[in-house]
Amino acid sequence: MTHTNTLRAVFWTVLVIFLVWDFHTSPPVDLRFEAPLIAAGSGVAVQGGHCSMPD
């Protein structure tokens, strides 16, 4: 039982550390250039998403 609890604690610790690192190192997403979710799949996109925009 102790082994399972240790693995569970290690998993959550690593996950939280990764999320904190990712949040601090990633550039912020500009939501003004994102298509609204309600328009998903409603035809040809006017512009690309944030991952295809030049920096």
Side-chain angles (χ1 to χ4, degrees):
M1 189 65 127
T2 304
H3 183 67
T4 304
N5 290 337
T6 304
L7 286 177
R8 185 177 294 141
V10 168
F11 169 78
W12 285 110
T13 303
V14 170
L15 181 65
V16 168
I17 288 171
F18 173 75
L19 291 175
V20 168
W21 170 80
D22 186 50
F23 180 76
H24 286 295
T25 58
S26 299
V29 176
D30 190 357
L31 296 176
R32 292 180 294 147
F33 290 114
E34 294 287 330
L37 185 57
I38 196 160
S42 64
V44 178
V46 177
Q47 65 187 25
H50 68 275
C51 57
S52 63
M53 293 177 57
D55 287 326

